[in-house]
Amino acid sequence: MLAEMGQFALAIACMLAFLQTVYPFYGIYTRQQSAIESAKILTVLQFLFVLLSFLILSYLFLINDFTVAYIATNSNSALPWYYRLSAVWGAHEGSLLLWVFLLSFWSAAVALLSKRLPIESVARVLAVLGLLSLGFYLFVLLTSNPFSRTLPYFPVDGRDLNPLLQDIGLIIHPPMLYMGYVGFSVAFAFAIAALLEGRLDSAWAKWSRPWTMAAWIFLTLGISLGSWWAYSELGWGGWWFWDPVENASLMPWIAGTALIHSLAVSEKRGVFKSWTVLLAISAFSLSLLGTFLVRSGVLVSVHAFASDPARGLFILGFLILVIGGSLLLYAVQASKVKSRGRFELFSRESMLLTNNILLIAALIVVLLGTLLPLVHKEIGLGSISIGEPFFNRIFSVLIVPFSLFLGVGPLVRWKRQSLSELSKPLGSLLILSVVLTVLFLVSFASHFTWLALLGIFLGFWMLCTNCYELYLRATHRFSLLKGLIKLSNSHWAMSLGHAGFAVLVIGITMTQNYSIERDVKLAIGESIAFEHYDFHFDGLQSVQGANYTGNMGIFSVRKDNHLIATLKAEKRIYTVQRMPMTEAAIDAGFTRDLYIAMGEVLPDGAWAVRIYYKPFIRWIWFGPLLMALAGVLMILDRRYRTKPLQERF
Amino acid sequence: MNPRRKKRLLITSLLVTGLAVSIALVLYALQQNIDLFYTPSEIIKGKNETGVKPEIGQRLRIGGMVVPNTVKRDPSNLKVSFDLIDNGGESVTVFFNGILPDLFREGQGIVAQGELINATQINAFEVLAKHDEEYMPPEVSDALKGLDHLKINSNK
């Protein structure tokens, strides 16, 4: 009964989304104030109904109602309660429900938090969001209903959640990622609403900026969580595989990064406005494309789910409708957008333009690498795969100008900057970064490589220029300390965000150049030594979990005869799906991780063991964390809270 | 030329050079990193679509079923070899030095990435097994369709 109620609530939410689209537009065209004002109420109501539906599905998971097909295939009574909850979004149907739930969450947030915006503009934004929701409700209800029953012959117990997904990282990774994906819909709706209205000014940029930033924060966190999960859970010790589905999340992130920079220019200087609109459309379109790629099963990927052609066709149609429609609108309306304000070749504006060009180049590379195998197969040339080296090589080239400009950009003035004024401090900063790079490599690197030198230099270049910029800005009017306190939140946000990126680059460089990976054969009592560490295989224990059994290998790690860590790596068999899983043991550290994963037991009783030494790998996730924190600081900037907004957007 | 035109020329030529360099770079990187997919029969008889056989030394991906009782291990290290077969009936041998994935089993579909060392042998640097019961790369499942009817000395 409850499941039917869940489905019913979903259908009501779908109807409300329809009204939320039609009513405000009707109100705007017939100038009926009450119809315009209904947008907010309809949005909140729609949110409440989808929330109800989501809560019902979660509850059904908690009470193990295996008469529901989706629960029977993705849960099990032996599953701990927190994994039963996360199993709600563990597969196709539920993750789409999560998607549409988050979409209405963002819509409700817009409805409730934009009191200072003119009601007509909010109504347009909400109507666009309603249209998007409507598409997804229809998708869920028509092709992937999470509430369908298995009656009359329902199973006694469920088929269990995929063991790979039974991890703390996977409880939070999908909601974070989806918050980001779906969050770009707000920036998209603002852009479409502005195009419909035919008015794009800096107030528009100002209003859509915090929303875009919020979405970007979630996406950043979601992607890094996914990377951390892959590292700790998949047992390969990698942090990024250029898997098509990872690429699908990276593309909106790159577009979103370009968007938050371009929005800054549009807000402050009133230029790049139509470009910003295009980016807002692209960021969300790429989120949709990502969903299509993941959900339609056209991609061969770790993340691929059992595919159903009807679903793929539906999303493809929706994708064409949304992207085609918005680009058409853009083509018709964008010419009306006039950018005022001129700038010289060497100015903050052109620095940010360079940032955007390089980001778009990176985006195109990822898009090409992801879609080319699909195209190649469809035109009958056979299946191909594009390997990691392709992406790695191109990104290691693109990152060089990107990082160099990132260092210079914040030092350059708006409109015009004389080159001679900057050349001297930049020269000193260059020497300083080289010195720091050499010191760093001498202390932490085991041997010399050019790529490492380049990467670390770029990292320090960004850090040094960043500190210098802070110093300049702080001492501009006050003493250093007072100046630092007086700096605005959004200025700190820029500094912190750029520092986070520098940390990321240093982490990637060290991990990629100085990791040591050994697959070895070890019997109990044997040991292996490398990189000053001695790994000793102490023994084996059997373990028994709620829904798995397994073996636990115990390893002691010594450095100069000092015990550093005892690592317990597990090999589990999940009993319901008969699926083996590797639980790696990791000794995490600020400058290095030690990583052990159990392979298979060999015929003579010894084990194949994977032992990794990964320098600075934590920095890869610490950097994005700083970037996300920077985003939070930016949203908290006074500008977005106190000043009442008079002008329409 | 007046300064404004000069500036425009500078910008345009910079953009064109940048574009040309990036296209060249992308194409070069692509050329080196595209790995074609073959089934064991295609390695021996040539690709179904084009009839082209892979060259010795070429990097490629191969997908097929691990023939039961062909997995041989070196007792002193992690070297392993096994035969792969598909519904075309031909089989090739894959050599690998490392840890096989959790789901690697005899009689299962796998994908390997590596280099062709002679007409019927491949040196793999990566072996992937399907990662849950429902998921199998489409190209492998195509290659294995109807395999049950072939006479393999299976212990099933």
Side-chain angles (χ1 to χ4, degrees), chain B residues 7 11 37 47 50 52-53 64 66 90 97 116 121 143 146:
Chain B
K7 203 169 82 185
I11 297 176
F37 179 87
K47 275 204 87 80
T50 53
V52 181
K53 282 190 197 180
V66 181
E90 306 281 353
N97 185 8
L116 193 66
Q121 294 187 323

Side-chain angles (χ1 to χ4, degrees), chain B:
Chain B
M1 260 191 291
N2 71 32
R4 193 147 161 205
R5 281 210 185 143
K6 205 167 163 184
K7 203 169 82 185
R8 280 200 187 149
L9 183 70
L10 184 71
I11 297 176
T12 322
S13 47
L14 271 179
L15 276 179
V16 171
T17 329
L19 202 67
V21 170
S22 13
I23 291 175
L25 183 79
V26 168
L27 288 180
Y28 175 73
L30 261 183
Q31 199 187 9
Q32 294 203 318
N33 290 302
I34 287 188
D35 299 327
L36 274 165
F37 179 87
Y38 290 87
T39 62
S41 309
E42 283 179 331
I43 285 187
I44 286 159
K45 296 177 188 156
K47 275 204 87 80
N48 290 337
E49 294 94 349
T50 53
V52 181
K53 282 190 197 180
E55 290 162 25
I56 308 261
Q58 182 184 329
R59 263 180 52 147
L60 47 79
R61 291 199 326 141
I62 178 168
M65 190 188 89
V66 181
V67 183
N69 300 324
T70 59
V71 180
K72 294 192 190 76
R73 287 178 189 281
D74 190 319
S76 61
N77 52 37
L78 293 177
K79 281 184 186 150
V80 61
S81 75
F82 51 88
D83 289 357
L84 279 186
I85 194 168
D86 68 321
N87 52 13
E90 306 281 353
S91 76
V92 297
T93 309
V94 176
F95 296 91
F96 180 62
N97 185 8
I99 296 178
L100 291 167
D102 287 340
L103 289 164
F104 181 93
R105 261 171 253 151
E106 296 188 338
Q108 287 269 5
I110 64 122
V111 173
Q113 195 155 11
E115 192 183 309
L116 193 66
I117 44 179
N118 63 48
T120 60
Q121 294 187 323
I122 284 158
N123 211 350
F125 50 82
E126 190 175 24
V127 174
L128 303 167
K130 61 173 188 166
H131 104 321
D132 72 36
E133 295 300 320
E134 274 170 41
Y135 166 70
M136 167 151 355
E139 61 253 289
V140 177
S141 73
D142 285 349
L144 297 184
K145 241 170 238 164
L147 190 62
D148 292 345
H149 304 297
L150 286 170
K151 292 271 176 275
I152 332 165
N153 46 348
S154 150
N155 52 3
K156 259 187 240 173

Side-chain angles (χ1 to χ4, degrees), chain A residues 164 383 385 393 521 571 582, chain B residues 32 35 37 75 102 131 134:
Chain A
L164 275 173
S383 299
S385 72
R393 179 167 300 165
K521 179 177 171 179
K571 192 77 181 180
T582 307
Chain B
Q32 294 203 318
D35 299 327
F37 179 87
D102 287 340
H131 104 321
E134 274 170 41

